[in-house]
Amino acid sequence: MIIIAERINGMFKDVKQAIADKDKKVVQDLAKKQTEAGASYLDVNVGTASADQEGTMQWLVETIQETCSTPLCLDSQKPNVIAAGLKSVKAGAAVMLNSTPLNKKSDEQVLDKYIEMAEQAGPKASIIALTMDKNGVPQDIDTRVAIAAEIVQKAMEKGFDTQRLFIDPIILPVKVPGAQVQPGNIMAAMDQIRYLADPAPHMTIGLSNLSQGATERSLINRTFLAMAVSHGLDSAIIDVLDEKLMNVLATAELLMNKQIYSDSYLRAYSPANK
Amino acid sequence: MAVPKIVESFTGSVNNVTLGATKDDGGTRTSKVTVGGARNVVYGGSFEDASAKPVIALDVIDTSPEDWPDVLSEPYKDVLGSPADWAKKCVEELGADLVCVKFDGIHPDKADKDESHAVKVTEEVLKSVGVPLVLWGCGNDEKDNQVMPKVSEAAKGENCLVGTVTEDNYKSLTAIALADNHHLITQAPLDINIAKQVNILVSDMGFPLERVVAFQTTGALGYGIEYAYSIQERQRLAALTGDKIMAMPVICDVGYESWRVKEAKLTDVTGWGGVEDRGPMWEATTAICLLQAGADIIRMRHPKAVATVKNLIDQIWQ
């Protein structure tokens, strides 16, 4: 499982304040704690903390890299913000560009731009593409799969290795009226998306969005995570500091034969051994 | 659109392990041996993805072995009972990359020798050869815990490979191997889950997994080698897909396992051919099979089998 840790995001109060105060310690502590807890990548999202999104992205990237070498997942739907972050990412490092839809009304070529930026960033750069297009987020299974197919096709046309491509079928808050059907739809879509290419593109989700505004957030998150792993989810943007969630993830991967069982498998899943 | 070229590639790799400490490292070895490093399965991927050349550790038994068939003891008849001379022969005449001193003689059911014997053998072999050593206990937990820490201490600073530790008996030897700066062999009874568990246990004691070599009790050709093969293969695939707890190079005990089966040692069986060729062939075939599963260090015994396997390794890992 490629685990992307979600906490360095300007939507969180502590990070927002840290950005406003240019307080490196808060960001660096989160980077270290999430790395120790098992992050493969650290998501970096400026959020709404600053008007200068490009400058803030660069500051976050530089601040994190001062303290740890965990690969970064630059999180913005604006190509210029991603590009700014990439300037500060250490040359040749693994990096994720998160995220782009298939296309936007305002920018038909947005996916091309992300692919090109990833190519320029080197062979360890990958992108997360959302099953979303200029018409918005699809609600049904078929449209999700159709958009994913177009994304995969575009990547292949451009010679971009599908193993560097992460498809995010977009999980919506279960509490939103009418959205309760979505978790099931997403799993059904994933069942098809994994056959779009060989080797299959990775699949990721921004898990915490599922429980937005709900009580029992952690329980909802970890239950769906286990279900999604059984449908081929091999990456997720999650709260790695949620120990119960991490234990469920380790167990789900074990039951799917992704990890070799040992009596101490929960310890074996810990970051020190990854 | 061009048909994409599919090359199976992996994200993980097997650890590199270097055995032996030369003068520069504070030891007295004249050569070092590096194994591991595979980034693909044997024959998979490009040549750059292949492991370092697998090596052969020739067995030297601390006391004259009583259960060896004639066909096996004959080539060593002048050196049996003298581990130092035996080791010298293995290195100078047979081209051993490593010498594996097997302390069968300390076993309570065999010669029941004590630690002073084992220490003496270790010191003598260290003096007589310059290759790195493998120091391997007798398999009796109590006796190994009594003797092997002394053996480790006698070879302190030589960066040997000492073992074995198991799920039920790992603390004493792990602690002393760590203190004496050796590498460690973790053993499992043909069981992938226990292999992982024992690696976690030694890691929890602070022993670096980068200094571990994994051992699964090996099966000989005709005696469950398919289990040994598939477990080695699964272990290797886990390493290649990024499981750091399974990312260690592997040692196989081919000599012992091959020479205890009747096909290798029975004489005068109609239709089986002469034992002089049959025995070594049994050992060589077992070794070659396990090499293909990704074995990095092979413990062997018969000179003819060693020559065959070395020849194959030289041809494949040029």
Side-chain angles (χ1 to χ4, degrees), chain A residues 156-197:
Chain A
M156 288 170 90
E157 277 170 12
K158 294 185 86 73
F160 190 75
D161 186 352
T162 48
Q163 283 186 297
R164 294 166 64 189
L165 178 63
F166 290 68
I167 303 280
D168 180 346
I170 311 179
I171 187 85
L172 300 167
V174 72
K175 197 182 177 183
V176 170
Q180 237 176 294
V181 68
Q182 293 303 326
N185 282 358
I186 279 179
M187 287 187 288
M190 290 200 302
D191 286 339
Q192 298 181 53
I193 292 170
R194 64 174 138 168
Y195 293 112
L196 291 176

Side-chain angles (χ1 to χ4, degrees), chain A residues 18-243:
Chain A
I19 291 171
D21 301 344
K22 288 277 187 282
D23 179 354
K24 288 183 172 182
K25 191 170 182 304
V26 171
V27 175
Q28 291 177 337
D29 282 353
L30 276 171
K32 275 188 266 185
K33 262 165 67 183
Q34 292 187 115
T35 298
E36 284 160 15
S40 329
Y41 285 81
L42 301 173
D43 195 69
V44 187
N45 188 321
V46 175
T48 53
S50 163
D52 176 16
Q53 294 206 346
E54 295 177 27
T56 303
M57 178 60 93
Q58 277 186 336
W59 178 77
L60 282 171
V61 169
E62 284 158 13
T63 300
I64 296 164
Q65 287 183 154
E66 279 172 20
T67 192
C68 70
S69 57
T70 312
L72 303 180
C73 175
L74 308 180
D75 187 352
S76 172
Q77 295 212 25
K78 294 179 181 155
N80 57 318
V81 177
I82 299 279
L86 281 173
K87 279 187 203 153
S88 297
V89 170
K90 285 189 180 137
V95 62
M96 238 180 226
L97 282 51
N98 174 27
S99 55
T100 171
L102 172 64
N103 52 41
K104 287 188 203 174
K105 275 184 184 144
S106 60
D107 189 353
E108 280 280 350
Q109 305 299 318
V110 64
L111 174 60
D112 297 71
K113 286 179 187 163
Y114 275 72
I115 292 175
E116 281 156 24
M117 284 193 290
E119 291 285 23
Q120 278 169 17
K124 289 186 186 167
S126 47
I127 65 169
I128 297 179
L130 309 168
T131 58
M132 177 180 171
D133 63 7
K134 53 189 166 191
N135 302 315
V137 178
Q139 303 294 309
D140 65 321
I141 300 166
D142 291 347
T143 314
R144 275 197 173 90
V145 176
I147 293 174
E150 284 194 63
I151 291 167
V152 169
Q153 192 183 353
K154 171 81 90 180
M156 288 170 90
E157 277 170 12
K158 294 185 86 73
F160 190 75
D161 186 352
T162 48
Q163 283 186 297
R164 294 166 64 189
L165 178 63
F166 290 68
I167 303 280
D168 180 346
I170 311 179
I171 187 85
L172 300 167
V174 72
K175 197 182 177 183
V176 170
Q180 237 176 294
V181 68
Q182 293 303 326
N185 282 358
I186 279 179
M187 287 187 288
M190 290 200 302
D191 286 339
Q192 298 181 53
I193 292 170
R194 64 174 138 168
Y195 293 112
L196 291 176
D198 183 13
H202 295 282
M203 283 185 285
T204 194
I205 47 168
L207 182 67
S208 299
N209 200 34
L210 173 66
S211 60
Q212 206 64 257
T215 56
E216 302 293 356
R217 288 202 65 179
S218 172
L219 178 60
I220 292 171
N221 290 345
R222 65 181 183 265
T223 303
F224 182 68
L225 184 60
M227 294 161 77
V229 164
S230 76
H231 287 261
L233 188 79
D234 63 353
S235 168
I237 306 168
I238 56 174
D239 178 7
V240 293
L241 304 177
D242 181 342
E243 194 182 337

